[in-house]
Amino acid sequence: MRRIAHAWLAVAGPGPLALLRPMIACATLLFLLLWTPSAAALAPVTLLTVDGAIGPASADYLARGIARAAQDGHQLVIIELDTPGGLDTSMRTVVKAILGSPVPVAVYVAPPGARAASAGTFILMASHIAAMAPGTNLGAATPVQLGGPGGADADPDAPPDSAPDPGRAGRKQRERTNDPRERLNIDI
């Protein structure tokens, strides 16, 4: 304490203004505290939670939640995600909502032990901010054909005809230079 007091006196120095300097410093600090926007004045954040498969109901919930956050002037949408995957059409609905959102969307894979597999991986890649809690994982994200052409004679290394890369638009829009599919061993 004495060092601080001695340092202040050395800066203030002797003279008629020496006693006014501490008062001016306190008044300036008080002014800054009163005129700085408080946390309550900041725009709110929307939290959406998905714990389960991505289907029509969860896709509608997420798309409406993202649209509502933009309408209400929120500063951020956080999607807390734990999913084994889901339907292609539902995943595309969510990806389109994220890519078209004027509000930044952060996808957070949580709680520890959660996963963002299949459709969840593409939702995570489309987000503005991708985050994962410790002990979580993502992938695999290979489209699986249920019935229809193919069967036992189909070439397993051939890319599916009707399954374009839904993550490509997100990577392109977010200007991500490297291909995360290579790090994730995603086969599309």
Side-chain angles (χ1 to χ4, degrees):
M1 247 353 225
R2 284 187 176 171
R3 285 185 186 178
I4 295 172
H6 288 293
W8 177 257
L9 289 174
V11 170
L17 295 178
L19 295 175
L20 289 177
R21 286 189 181 135
M23 293 173 33
I24 293 171
C26 288
T28 303
L29 181 61
L30 183 61
F31 175 79
L32 290 174
L33 289 174
L34 292 176
W35 289 99
T36 303
S38 66
L42 296 175
V45 173
T46 297
L47 175 63
L48 305 171
T49 304
V50 175
D51 185 7
I54 304 296
S58 58
D60 182 57
Y61 163 73
L62 292 173
R64 285 187 303 118
I66 292 168
R68 181 67 186 253
Q71 176 185 348
D72 291 348
H74 290 194
Q75 66 180 347
L76 178 68
V77 175
I78 300 173
I79 299 173
E80 187 175 319
L81 188 63
D82 181 7
T83 182
L87 299 174
D88 176 70
T89 54
S90 299
M91 177 266 305
R92 289 177 190 274
T93 299
V94 176
V95 168
K96 285 180 185 178
I98 291 171
L99 294 177
S101 174
V103 177
V105 177
V107 175
Y108 179 51
V109 182
R115 63 183 170 168
S118 191
T121 301
F122 293 113
I123 291 169
L124 185 74
M125 287 192 311
S127 67
H128 298 85
I129 302 165
M132 299 177 70
T136 59
N137 61 62
L138 77 146
T142 301
V144 177
Q145 187 171 4
L146 302 175
D153 297 333
D155 179 9
D157 295 326
D161 291 334
S162 63
D165 180 3
R168 182 174 290 128
R171 288 191 306 275
K172 186 175 181 180
Q173 184 167 337
R174 304 284 175 254
E175 297 178 9
R176 294 179 178 151
T177 57
N178 57 350
D179 190 349
R181 296 178 302 168
E182 293 173 9
R183 293 189 316 261
L184 301 172
N185 294 321
I186 297 172
D187 179 26
I188 294 185

